[in-house]
């Protein structure tokens, strides 16, 4: 097992910064814009930018938040002329923070526990995160309908189709849930694969401490047109294969044991 020095103080520092900056950027600046965003494209754009500014400010104060971030979002998605389903592997709690900065106006399929955390739950509502109670079929399909409605409304929706975080250092992806891919095909939405590497090195699953640095790489792959696929299974298999291949490449070029 790799010996990595992690610090509990960094977790408390992160929580303090999230509370302080989150109050200003989400509750003061973004709350009115998020309400107007339901009726106005310009308000939706501004709401997304405010969130990005907030997370950029958060990143400025976090020593671990350094790495390579390469995002290529289709122009029609950037201009809110078309929705997009972003599909990422999931390695750490940090993944959402990182992607919120890189994808303006992103809505995330989020487990119900987050909505019950004081402050964080209200922030999730303001940012229009999509509620799902894991293990409950009715909640799952209701969330899928919310995703479908969001895609038709030209939203950027992020899902972690493994539906859980990977154990530390694991390269092989778990099974992908098919519901989001089904909705992408039904709405003829483009699908953007996102590869995350190294966030579990910094903050792994089931550990309450952060490393001060790590081999953090997050990038998008070429978007896929959902209408080119005949089934959700075929689309999910293609996306999973692309992400998996890139993870194998990154594990060789940026192996954890050399850090």
């Amino acid at each position: 097992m790799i010996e990595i020095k992690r610090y509990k103080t960094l977790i408390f520092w992160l929580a303090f910064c999230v509370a302080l900056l989150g109050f200003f950027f989400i509750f003061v600046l973004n709350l009115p814009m998020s309400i107007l965003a339901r009726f106005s494209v310009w308000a939706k754009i501004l709401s997304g930018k405010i969130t990005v500014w907030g997370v950029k400010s958060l990143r400025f104060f976090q020593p671990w938040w350094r790495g390579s971030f390469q995002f290529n979002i289709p122009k029609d998605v950037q201009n809110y002329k078309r929705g997009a389903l972003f599909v990422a592997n999931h390695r750490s709690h940090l993944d959402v923070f990182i992607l919120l900065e890189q994808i303006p106006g992103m809505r995330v399929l989020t487990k119900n526990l987050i909505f019950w955390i004081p402050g964080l739950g209200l922030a999730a509502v303001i940012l229009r995160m999509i509620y799902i109670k894991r293990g409950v079929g009715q909640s799952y399909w209701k969330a899928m309908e919310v995703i479908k409605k969001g895609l038709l409304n030209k939203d950027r929706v992020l899902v972690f189709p493994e539906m859980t975080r990977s154990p530390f250092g694991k390269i092989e992806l778990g099974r992908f849930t098919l519901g989001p891919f089904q909705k992408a095909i039904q709405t003829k939405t483009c699908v953007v694969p996102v590869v995350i590497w190294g966030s579990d090195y910094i903050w792994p699953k089931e550990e309450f401490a952060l490393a001060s640095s790590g081999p953090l790489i997050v990038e998008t792959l070429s978007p896929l047109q959902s209408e080119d696929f005949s089934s959700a299974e075929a689309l999910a298999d293609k996306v999973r294969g692309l992400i998996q291949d890139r993870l194998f490449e990154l594990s060789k070029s940026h192996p954890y044991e050399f850090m």
Side-chain angles (χ1 to χ4, degrees):
M1 187 67 175
I2 305 170
E3 291 293 332
I4 301 170
K5 194 164 186 179
R6 298 190 178 93
Y7 306 88
K8 291 185 178 180
T9 52
L10 288 178
I11 289 283
F12 291 108
W13 174 242
L14 173 63
F16 173 77
C17 291
V18 167
L20 186 64
L21 295 172
F23 175 79
F24 178 71
F25 282 97
I26 296 178
F27 295 104
V28 176
L29 296 183
N30 212 344
L31 178 56
M33 287 300 103
S34 67
I35 295 172
L36 293 174
R38 301 173 187 272
F39 313 100
S40 168
V41 174
W42 71 263
K44 181 187 289 188
I45 294 172
L46 184 54
S47 175
K49 287 183 177 180
I50 290 172
T51 302
V52 169
W53 297 336
V55 184
K56 281 184 181 293
S57 300
L58 176 65
R59 176 161 68 99
F60 179 80
F61 294 103
Q62 307 305 316
W64 54 266
W65 204 323
R66 306 292 182 266
S68 174
F69 307 108
Q70 299 179 28
F71 278 73
N72 182 20
I73 300 175
K75 185 169 289 187
D76 55 352
V77 175
Q78 291 184 42
N79 298 334
Y80 285 92
K81 293 182 178 179
R82 188 183 188 190
L85 179 69
F86 290 83
V87 178
N89 62 303
H90 199 8
R91 308 189 71 85
S92 171
H93 284 310
L94 301 177
D95 299 342
V96 173
F97 288 106
I98 294 166
L99 295 176
L100 276 171
E101 180 190 2
Q102 301 296 326
I103 307 171
M106 181 183 73
R107 302 179 67 187
V108 186
L109 182 64
T110 307
K111 61 183 179 182
N112 64 305
L113 177 63
I114 298 297
F115 289 85
W116 292 103
I117 299 175
L120 196 58
L122 183 55
V125 172
I126 292 172
L127 296 177
R128 301 168 62 228
M129 300 308 180
I130 301 170
Y131 176 101
I132 183 171
K133 189 172 184 180
R134 195 161 52 186
V136 179
Q138 184 178 2
S139 176
Y140 177 85
W141 289 112
K142 184 177 180 179
M144 293 305 106
E145 288 305 310
V146 175
I147 288 176
K148 180 179 179 179
K149 185 177 179 180
L151 294 175
L152 289 172
N153 197 38
K154 303 174 184 177
D155 288 338
R156 298 96 182 262
V157 177
L158 171 74
V159 297
F160 298 111
E162 295 171 280
M163 304 298 283
T164 188
R165 287 165 292 152
S166 298
F168 172 70
K170 184 178 180 181
I171 303 172
E172 295 80 9
L173 293 173
R175 185 183 67 86
F176 276 17
T177 187
L178 298 180
F181 299 96
Q182 181 187 68
K183 300 310 173 185
I185 290 175
Q186 291 175 356
T187 57
K188 298 182 179 180
T189 302
C190 74
V191 177
V192 183
V194 182
V195 180
I196 301 172
W197 176 253
S199 60
D200 59 321
Y201 183 101
I202 298 168
W203 188 4
K205 187 176 183 179
E206 298 178 354
E207 185 157 343
F208 192 76
L210 284 170
S212 59
S213 64
L216 183 59
I217 299 173
V218 187
E219 59 188 33
T220 57
L221 304 179
S222 298
L224 302 172
Q225 303 304 320
S226 61
E227 53 264 42
D228 293 340
F229 294 83
S230 59
S231 67
E233 291 88 349
L235 179 55
D237 286 346
K238 180 64 175 180
V239 174
R240 187 180 183 279
L242 291 171
I243 295 175
Q244 184 68 84
D245 289 345
R246 185 57 179 149
L247 284 174
F248 281 131
E249 292 173 358
L250 291 172
S251 70
K252 294 176 181 178
S253 60
H254 296 78
Y256 287 3
E257 58 264 30
F258 291 162
M259 296 303 298

